[in-house]
């Protein structure tokens, strides 16, 4: 027995002494301790995890040449060859931080990202749908964000001292020529596109990417959804409209197609809710759309088309002649097509191709009528032009190609070009003008991530327009620096050019680009439950189009201000709210202004408070939006017959603007069925019945002025939306938990 | 004498080498599973997960170590701050993919479901639409492969339980599913001592909660 015991003892001690201890530390390249890094002796079971101080230690029986590796999510794995003999081994690891999209800083100066594309979400599609008073209109919801003015008498986003036409909309990269329904004077119209078409929205209030151009002040960049989750049929019914549609997803879930149709008629509504104007043709709209989406090998092809008509006519008292009415009628047809193809080719190459064709036809007539609605004609020069017939057709064909090459880490280089062919034919009282423009642009942009904490976007864009026969080069630059776990600072600079408007080009094509220079500094702190943003900006406008004494590019201007945004989803249970504040100091000399004036669409202070409260027990959400703006200036500008110059004949400031919007959505099917979904929506704008004044119209001689207000104090809406085939119950729950 | 010792030693080590791939694996897995049961702190769980991963990496043909590594990451993930969850789940997912490359089975589909569920909870408003089909498909696949796996129904019942009654969830609706799960646990036999067998006590506790 003895020898055996001896052997056992020897063996045991041998074993102990044969064990080698491996110790060390793990840090990142900035010297920060890494806790929880995995240490592995490759090919064996041996290893450990670094402790909270970044130290590790373990024993092994292994002998000879081995590889010791240290790995940590978010850092590059390091392997080290070691030779295990008798002595203990010490290995210190430095794991370089891996730059990845999850950790990297994002450039936020000037841009409000919405949707699920990035981790930074400010507004989602659901947010647009449930913003009280916005009536599911993207622009109306975006107006509750800082930077946008509360302009109620015309459509468009008036951003930071820019006019409505200085904001452009882009869908899947390509420009949308007529994003709003054609409107009648002094009444704002809605956007053509439903928020449900999009998975992501970026509202850029300035300093945006070199991929986009021809927008002097702002860009609204929309990204359409990919394949739907399931096949479904849908219907909607309201006293205002009816609609129905179908969406089919292929069995393999790699393709889908869909069609929708809607008809709107406000006749019944106008019977109940009296309108100030006298509608001789009540607004009537037809709209249809169709789409297909195909998943390719490593990408997606999407096609969307929509076709719409609108027909309306109304009479309002003529401001110059008592007893005479202006009867204005509009007949519009719009067809929009967008085909996009994105594909990855491997080796870090990606492509985005966008093709678009749109057509817009407007027939506008105005007639002076007497009390019996019979046409009247006058010889006074200021009245002659009030009888008019305008026929206008605009076509825009375009192609845009963006190539993307991945550089090291997540840094990328993008470059490409676009071509637009614009065709406009307008006939004004028999006088016809035809405009054609071949517009070309080349652009290149690099997103450079120096570390996870510092990023730069450097871009340049060159454009040439044949109609004005001029070219431009616009540099863009932005930087972002992460100051803390969820906080960051961004800076942006850029030059922006825009062609003169069609109405100006009809007069003369001897004009140049209008130009703006943006400087923006932004601070953002964002967690899952809170968002805080503060931004200051300075913008300089140059070469704005002036119409007096002759059409020229001598207009100038500036805009400066600061903006705050606060969103909180947590503090009060089931309540989500945000507050926006904008301070704007802006002046511009453009069109017929006699000098630099605060433009009539810009208010100094604007505040919006948006609240959303979901009441589980009632299966209902209640949403309020309150907007406030200080008064806007208004002017009566007239030509001084003696000096031949424009002068301010009268001016003032409108009263403050208040608007409380409300909507509620009741979802009775919650929990009852998993396939069918019903939501009832009720909403009203201007709940408190304020009488907003957006500005004044003056008579020709300046003796009379009339306030521009709303066609009716409030807009009421009730409607029911149904869908069959898709379980969206869970959706509603999770969105509101 | 020296010679004898040397020979003995050589024989011993040879033998050790002979069952290292099976017995060592069994032994090490057994130990790590015991460690898993007793680990409470985050640090402990991370260490256990790392140990499973090392075993997986060393073995290369066993799905169980990767499975447990992924599962442990998912379980510890519930305690992380929302900002850290994604990173951790990314890790869990990498481990799951490694396990799935070896074998596809119901247990792995269940982990896939758990990962999708936790990812969704980070930002439900924006992630739900994408996560839901993934979750549904994972459980459907699990049922297809092994309809009598009690953990499938335990997962399903939990989800129903956590959904408010007003939306078709609640304990009354969850109860029959928990019952099914508990029933299946009674007859469930893990394929080996190392194969998953967790969830029975939790399912029973939840069922009791539903009945109270």
């Amino acid at each position: 027995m003895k020898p055996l015991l001896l052997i056992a003892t020897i063996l045991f001690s041998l074993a102990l002494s044969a064990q080698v201890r491996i110790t060390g530390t793990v840090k990142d390249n900035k010297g920060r301790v890494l806790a929880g890094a995995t240490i592995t002796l490759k090919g064996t079971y041996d290893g450990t995890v670094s402790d909270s101080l970044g130290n590790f230690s373990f024993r092994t029986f292994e002998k000879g040449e081995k590889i010791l590796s240290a790995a940590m999510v978010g850092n590059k794995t390091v392997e080290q060859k070691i030779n295990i003999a008798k002595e203990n081994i010490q290995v210190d690891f430095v794991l370089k931080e891996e730059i990845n999209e999850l950790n990297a800083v994002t450039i936020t100066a000037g841009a409000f990202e919405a949707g699920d594309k990035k981790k930074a979400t400010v507004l989602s599609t659901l947010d647009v749908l449930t913003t009280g008073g916005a009536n599911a209109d993207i622009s109306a919801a975006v107006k509750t964000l800082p930077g946008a003015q509360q302009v109620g008498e015309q459509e468009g986003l008036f951003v930071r001292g820019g006019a409505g036409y200085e904001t452009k909309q882009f869908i899947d990269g390509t420009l949308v020529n007529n994003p709003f329904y054609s409107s009648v004077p002094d009444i704002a119209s809605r956007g053509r596109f439903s928020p449900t078409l999009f998975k992501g929205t970026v509202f850029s209030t300035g300093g945006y990417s070199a991929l986009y151009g021809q927008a002097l002040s702002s860009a609204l960049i929309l990204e359409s959804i990919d394949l739907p989750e399931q096949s479904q049929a849908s219907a909607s019914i309201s006293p205002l409209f009816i609609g129905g549609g179908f969406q089919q997803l292929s069995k393999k879930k790699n393709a889908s197609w869909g069609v929708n149709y809607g008809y709107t008629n406000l006749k019944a509504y106008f019977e109940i809710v009296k309108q100030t104007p006298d509608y001789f043709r009540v607004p009537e709209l037809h709209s249809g759309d169709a789409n297909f989406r195909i998943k390719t090998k490593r990408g997606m092809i999407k096609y969307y088309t929509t076709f719409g008509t609108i027909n309306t006519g109304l009479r309002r008292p003529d401001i110059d002649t008592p007893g005479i009415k202006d009867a204005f009628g509009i007949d519009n047809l719009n067809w929009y097509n967008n085909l996009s193809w994105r594909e990855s080719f491997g080796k870090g190459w990606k492509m985005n191709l966008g093709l678009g064709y749109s057509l817009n036809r407007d027939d506008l007539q105005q007639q002076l009528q007497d009390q019996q609605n019979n046409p009247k004609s006058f010889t006074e020069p200021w009245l002659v032009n009030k009888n008019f017939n305008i026929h206008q057709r605009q076509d825009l064909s375009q192609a845009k190609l963006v190539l993307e090459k991945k550089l090291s880490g997540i840094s990328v280089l993008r470059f490409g070009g676009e071509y637009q062919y614009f065709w406009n034919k307008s006939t004004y009282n028999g006088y016809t003008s035809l405009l054609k423009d071949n517009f070309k642009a080349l652009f290149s942009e690099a997103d450079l991530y120096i570390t996870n904490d510092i990023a730069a976007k450097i871009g340049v864009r060159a454009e040439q327009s044949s109609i004005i026969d001029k070219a431009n080069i616009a540099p863009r630059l932005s930087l972002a620096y992460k100051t803390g776990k969820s906080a960051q600072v961004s800076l942006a600079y850029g030059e922006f050019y825009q062609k003169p408007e069609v109405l100006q080009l009809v007069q003369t094509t001897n004009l140049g680009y209008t130009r703006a220079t943006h400087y923006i500094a932004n601070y953002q702190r964002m967690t899952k439950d809170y968002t805080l943003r503060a931004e200051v900006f300075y913008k300089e406008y140059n070469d704005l189009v002036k119409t007096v004494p002759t059409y020229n590019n001598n207009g100038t201007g500036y805009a400066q201000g600061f903006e705050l945004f606060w969103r909180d989803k947590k503090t009060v249970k089931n309540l989500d709210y945000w507050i926006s504040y904008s301070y704007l100091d802006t002046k511009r000399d453009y069109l017929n202004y006699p000098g630099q004036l605060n433009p009539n669409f810009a208010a100094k202070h604007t505040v919006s408070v948006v609240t959303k409260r979901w009441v589980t027990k009632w299966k209902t959400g209640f949403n309020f939006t309150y907007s406030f703006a200080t008064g806007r200036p208004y002017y009566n500008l007239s030509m001084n017959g003696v000096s031949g110059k424009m002068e301010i004949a009268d001016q003032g400031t409108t009263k403050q603007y208040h608007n409380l919007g409300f909507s509620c959505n009741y979802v009775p099917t919650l929990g009852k069925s998993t396939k069918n979904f019903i939501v009832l929506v009720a909403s009203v704008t201007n709940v408190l019945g304020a009488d907003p004044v957006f500005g004044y119209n003056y008579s020709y001689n300046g003796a009379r002025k009339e306030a521009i207000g709303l066609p009716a104090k409030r807009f009421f809406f009730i409607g029911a939306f149904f869908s069959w085939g898709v379980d969206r119950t869970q959706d509603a729950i999770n969105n509101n938990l | 004498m020296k010679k004898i010792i040397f020979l003995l030693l050589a024989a011993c080590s040879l033998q050790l080498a002979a069952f290292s791939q099976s017995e060592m694996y069994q032994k090490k897995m057994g130990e790590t599973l015991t460690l898993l049961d007793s680990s409470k702190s985050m640090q402990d769980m991370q260490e256990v997960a790392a140990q499973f991963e090392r075993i997986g990496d060393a073995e290369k043909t066993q799905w169980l170590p990767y499975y447990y590594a992924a599962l442990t990451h998912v379980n510890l993930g519930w305690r992380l701050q929302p900002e850290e969850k994604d990173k951790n789940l990314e890790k869990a997912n990498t481990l799951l993919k490694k396990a799935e490359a070896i074998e596809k089975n119901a247990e792995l589909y269940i982990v896939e479901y758990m990962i999708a569920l936790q990812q969704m909870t980070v930002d439900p408003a924006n992630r739900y639409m994408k996560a839901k089909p993934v979750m549904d498909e994972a459980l459907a696949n699990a049922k297809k492969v092994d309809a009598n796996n009690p953990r499938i129904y335990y997962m399903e019942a939990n989800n129903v339980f956590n959904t408010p009654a007003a939306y078709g969830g609640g304990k009354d609706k969850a109860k029959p599913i928990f019952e099914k799960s508990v029933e299946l646990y009674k007859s469930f036999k893990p394929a080996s001592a190392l194969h998953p067998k967790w969830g029975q006590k939790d399912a029973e506790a939840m069922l009791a909660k539903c009945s109270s």
Side-chain angles (χ1 to χ4, degrees):
Chain A
M1 276 307 273
K2 252 188 181 173
L4 260 182
L5 200 74
L6 184 74
I7 290 164
T9 320
I10 292 167
L11 268 179
F12 185 68
S13 56
L14 259 178
L16 251 189
S17 68
Q19 236 184 349
V20 168
R21 211 149 97 102
I22 298 174
T23 57
T25 58
V26 190
K27 288 181 179 166
D28 71 5
N29 48 330
K30 286 181 189 149
R32 289 180 298 204
V33 154
L34 291 178
T38 315
I39 315 296
T40 312
L41 195 59
K42 289 195 100 178
T44 76
Y45 294 167
D46 298 334
T48 188
V49 172
S50 66
D51 65 17
S52 58
L53 299 171
N55 296 319
F56 67 87
S57 165
F58 67 97
R59 290 166 184 282
T60 181
F61 284 107
E62 303 290 335
K63 284 284 177 293
E65 211 160 79
K66 293 275 168 196
I67 287 165
L68 188 69
S69 84
M72 171 98 190
V73 180
N75 294 74
K76 281 189 177 138
T77 301
V78 171
E79 296 190 342
Q80 166 105 35
K81 227 181 233 174
I82 54 170
N83 203 340
I84 310 171
K86 279 183 188 158
E87 282 81 46
N88 290 344
I89 294 171
Q90 159 99 20
V91 183
D92 294 328
F93 286 104
V94 175
L95 306 189
K96 255 178 106 175
E97 206 181 359
E98 206 167 29
I99 302 178
N100 68 34
E101 275 158 45
L102 224 53
N103 297 332
V105 62
T106 45
I107 292 165
T108 50
F112 271 95
E113 288 252 10
D116 59 359
K117 208 173 84 182
K118 287 260 167 64
K119 54 182 174 170
T121 300
V122 178
L123 281 192
S124 66
T125 299
L126 196 84
D127 286 332
V128 175
L129 293 173
T130 58
T131 296
N135 284 317
D137 183 40
I138 298 174
S139 292
V142 165
K143 264 195 210 173
T144 66
L145 296 176
Q149 291 287 321
Q150 299 297 323
V151 172
E153 73 279 21
Q154 52 181 308
E155 58 280 354
L157 287 166
F158 292 72
V159 179
R160 289 184 175 170
Y165 57 78
E166 294 172 18
T167 299
K168 290 283 160 70
Q169 295 190 18
F170 299 88
I171 295 179
D172 292 335
T174 50
L175 178 73
V176 183
N177 200 24
N178 307 91
F180 297 96
Y181 286 110
S182 292
S183 63
V184 300
D186 298 338
I187 300 174
S189 66
R190 288 171 61 86
R192 287 186 189 277
F193 302 99
S194 155
T196 55
L197 288 169
F198 307 105
K199 62 176 174 184
T201 307
V202 178
F203 173 45
S204 176
T205 48
Y208 41 88
S209 150
L211 268 53
Y212 305 98
Q214 293 300 309
L216 209 53
S217 297
S218 165
L220 188 68
I221 299 159
L222 303 159
E223 192 188 348
S224 68
I225 50 170
D226 292 341
L227 294 169
E229 275 75 30
Q230 250 174 296
S231 298
Q232 83 174 99
S234 62
S236 50
I237 184 156
S238 150
L240 287 72
F241 66 78
I242 51 162
F246 188 74
Q247 190 74 40
Q248 175 80 47
L249 178 67
S250 74
K251 273 219 176 87
K252 282 183 178 166
K253 294 189 177 176
N254 57 2
S256 76
W257 61 269
V259 286
N260 292 289
Y261 169 75
Y263 173 68
T264 304
N265 189 322
L266 297 181
K267 191 170 172 43
Y269 179 76
F270 282 1
E271 295 282 327
I272 302 161
V273 183
K274 288 288 169 229
Q275 306 288 310
T276 310
D278 160 30
Y279 282 88
F280 58 90
R281 293 207 306 265
V282 165
E284 194 184 15
L285 287 82
H286 292 274
S287 71
D289 66 59
N291 66 72
F292 67 76
R293 300 166 189 136
I294 300 164
K295 218 179 207 163
T296 57
K297 205 172 162 203
R298 292 159 91 176
M300 182 79 104
I301 293 174
K302 295 191 269 194
Y303 172 70
Y304 174 77
T305 182
T306 177
F307 184 87
T309 64
I310 175 167
N311 190 331
T312 186
L314 47 76
R315 287 185 197 100
R316 284 183 284 206
D318 184 73
I319 193 163
D320 288 311
T321 322
I324 296 296
K325 296 189 264 194
D326 300 345
F328 181 89
I330 182 166
D331 192 351
N332 167 266
L333 181 151
N334 184 281
W335 187 31
Y336 173 82
N337 292 276
N338 185 323
L339 179 72
S340 70
W341 178 22
R342 64 161 201 266
E343 192 79 37
S344 300
F345 297 112
K347 290 186 178 164
W349 282 97
K350 271 188 204 169
M351 176 202 79
N352 256 303
L353 176 69
L355 299 172
Y357 172 72
S358 68
L359 177 160
N360 191 71
R361 202 193 68 202
D362 279 318
D363 277 307
L364 314 172
Q365 323 87 38
Q366 185 168 278
Q367 201 176 52
L368 292 172
Q369 294 181 346
D370 64 15
Q371 285 304 304
Q372 283 69 47
N373 302 334
N374 295 318
K376 290 275 281 180
S377 56
F378 294 86
T379 51
E380 288 88 339
W382 63 87
L383 288 176
V384 167
N385 288 337
K386 284 194 177 177
N387 279 317
F388 61 73
N389 262 299
I390 297 173
H391 177 87
Q392 185 180 37
R393 181 175 154 173
Q394 272 184 12
D395 286 28
L396 179 69
S397 314
Q398 56 183 328
K400 181 171 178 176
L401 176 70
V402 184
L403 292 169
E404 187 177 309
K405 167 76 176 127
K406 203 167 180 173
L407 307 172
S408 70
I410 55 165
S411 294
V412 291
L413 176 71
R414 270 176 227 109
F415 58 95
E418 67 184 301
Y419 170 73
Q420 295 174 1
Y421 178 68
F422 176 77
W423 187 93
N424 181 87
K425 190 176 178 184
S426 39
T427 310
Y428 174 80
N429 286 352
Y431 169 77
T432 299
S433 83
L434 179 64
L435 299 174
K436 288 181 198 168
D437 187 26
N438 285 288
F439 177 84
K440 295 133 274 186
L442 290 171
F443 45 81
S444 172
E445 167 185 276
D447 287 356
L448 301 172
Y449 290 83
I450 295 112
T451 68
N452 267 332
D453 297 340
I454 304 173
K457 195 191 265 288
I458 303 164
V460 63
R461 183 178 174 89
E463 298 174 331
Q464 207 274 341
S465 156
S466 70
I467 193 164
I468 55 174
D469 194 22
K470 286 198 174 61
N472 71 62
I473 289 186
R476 314 274 167 91
L477 173 69
S478 40
L479 298 165
Y481 177 67
K482 214 168 172 176
T483 53
K485 208 169 163 191
S486 44
Q488 61 176 62
V489 184
S490 308
L491 297 170
Y493 153 81
E495 295 284 342
F496 299 84
Y497 291 90
Q498 186 169 341
K499 283 190 291 187
E501 292 301 287
V502 170
L503 282 175
Q504 297 158 353
L505 292 171
V506 166
Q507 301 295 329
T508 173
T509 55
N510 190 20
L511 285 169
Y513 295 100
T514 58
R515 178 162 67 92
T517 312
H518 301 186
Y519 302 91
I520 301 164
N522 159 293
Y523 171 79
Q524 175 167 304
R525 234 187 103 78
M526 185 183 240
T527 65
K528 181 175 167 267
D529 304 310
Y530 311 97
T531 306
L532 172 69
R533 282 174 60 106
E535 197 157 293
V536 291
F537 66 90
Y538 176 76
K539 290 203 295 193
E540 208 177 276
Y541 289 102
N542 282 300
D543 307 334
L544 296 177
V545 173
K546 280 191 65 71
T547 57
V548 181
T550 53
Y551 280 74
N552 64 64
N553 271 104
N554 298 336
T556 56
Y558 73 90
Q560 59 192 13
F562 65 90
E563 290 157 5
L564 293 169
F565 178 79
W566 167 251
R567 183 170 187 177
D568 171 2
K569 301 186 194 179
K570 181 121 189 224
T571 310
V572 183
K573 201 176 176 245
N574 284 332
L575 177 78
D576 175 7
Y577 71 91
W578 69 78
I579 301 169
S580 306
Y581 168 74
S582 313
Y583 169 78
L584 174 65
D585 167 22
T586 184
K587 280 189 175 162
R588 55 163 63 189
D589 175 16
Y590 82 138
L591 304 180
N592 58 354
Y593 280 24
Q596 283 204 352
L597 297 175
N598 184 348
N600 58 5
F601 49 78
K604 203 154 227 156
H605 305 275
T606 307
V607 179
S608 285
V609 181
V610 178
T611 66
K612 298 169 186 216
R613 176 97 160 85
W614 176 260
V615 182
T616 307
K617 214 167 66 189
W618 301 342
K619 303 178 180 184
T620 306
F622 299 89
N623 317 303
F624 288 93
T625 300
Y626 171 71
S627 298
F628 164 83
T630 50
R632 281 155 41 186
Y634 61 85
Y635 308 100
N636 180 27
L637 303 175
S638 67
M639 176 75 79
N640 183 317
V642 182
S643 69
K645 285 184 176 157
M646 292 303 291
E647 60 179 28
I648 302 172
D650 187 30
Q651 64 177 316
T653 306
T654 63
K655 62 179 180 172
Q656 293 174 346
Y657 170 82
H658 300 270
N659 184 9
L660 180 68
F662 167 73
S663 77
C664 67
N665 32 323
Y666 169 55
V667 191
T669 46
L670 278 183
K672 294 225 173 71
S673 151
T674 52
K675 285 281 178 196
N676 304 333
F677 187 77
I678 302 173
V679 58
L680 304 173
V681 177
S683 79
V684 54
T685 62
N686 196 13
V687 176
L688 302 177
D691 251 321
V693 174
F694 299 118
Y696 287 88
N697 285 326
Y698 282 86
S699 65
Y700 178 75
N701 59 14
R704 288 186 54 188
K705 67 175 181 186
E706 255 168 28
I708 304 167
L710 294 167
K713 235 176 206 175
R714 301 182 181 89
F715 181 77
F716 300 91
F717 175 82
I718 49 166
F721 299 85
F722 307 86
S723 74
W724 298 276
V726 183
D727 178 11
R728 290 169 79 174
T729 319
Q730 289 286 326
D731 184 27
I733 300 165
N734 286 288
N735 280 324
N736 291 296
L737 277 183
Chain B
M1 186 68 188
K2 259 189 184 172
K3 236 181 194 171
I4 296 172
I5 292 170
F6 178 76
L7 279 174
L8 266 171
L9 208 66
C12 267
S13 55
L14 263 178
Q15 210 154 18
L16 260 175
F19 38 64
S20 66
Q21 282 324 97
S22 53
E23 306 236 324
M24 272 290 278
Y25 167 71
Q26 299 286 338
K27 184 169 163 278
K28 198 72 186 174
M29 280 296 282
E31 281 171 20
T32 318
L33 281 170
T34 317
L35 222 55
L36 177 63
D37 288 339
S38 62
S39 60
K40 297 250 152 48
S41 72
M42 289 278 273
Q43 170 87 11
D44 288 350
M45 288 175 90
Q46 258 159 359
E47 266 174 41
V48 168
Q51 190 149 326
F52 277 124
E53 187 183 353
R54 280 196 302 273
I55 299 173
D57 283 347
E59 291 297 330
K60 294 190 175 70
T61 53
Q62 300 285 354
W63 65 273
L64 278 168
Y66 287 133
Y67 162 81
Y68 282 114
L71 183 69
T72 310
H73 273 286
V74 173
N75 287 334
L76 75 86
W78 289 112
R79 298 199 217 163
L80 293 171
Q81 290 299 306
E83 294 83 25
E84 291 165 346
K85 278 195 171 116
D86 277 337
K87 222 175 176 185
N88 178 57
L89 289 168
E90 203 183 316
K91 176 79 191 173
N93 205 32
T94 322
L95 292 162
L96 177 71
K97 290 274 135 32
K98 284 184 179 177
E100 278 177 339
I102 298 161
E103 187 179 315
K104 280 214 161 195
N105 58 47
E107 302 294 352
L108 293 174
Y109 284 127
I110 291 168
V111 176
E112 190 183 325
Y113 165 87
M114 294 167 94
I115 291 172
L117 172 73
Q118 205 177 97
Q119 264 167 349
M120 188 270 289
T121 63
V122 174
D123 184 7
N126 290 300
R127 293 188 180 179
Y128 182 80
M129 291 301 268
K130 270 194 183 148
K132 172 79 167 127
V134 178
M135 286 160 62
D136 287 349
E137 204 177 330
L139 282 193
N141 280 336
K143 281 180 192 171
K144 228 183 271 170
V145 186
D146 182 7
N148 290 326
N149 190 314
R151 272 174 291 281
I152 301 170
Y153 307 97
Y154 171 48
M155 286 293 132
E156 201 176 323
N158 254 334
N159 197 16
V160 176
F161 185 87
N162 289 320
T163 304
Y167 308 141
K171 56 184 188 178
D172 293 342
K173 294 243 166 82
K175 196 179 164 183
I177 318 175
F178 277 124
E179 274 167 353
K180 180 166 185 181
S181 171
V182 167
E183 205 49 48
L184 286 169
Y185 268 119
K186 281 180 188 158
S187 55
F188 182 78
K189 287 267 176 319
S192 82
L194 300 181
H195 277 72
K197 49 179 177 283
W198 56 272
Q200 181 162 17
K201 276 191 189 141
D202 301 299
E204 282 166 3
M206 288 303 290
L207 181 57
K209 240 186 188 174
C210 290
S211 311
S212 66

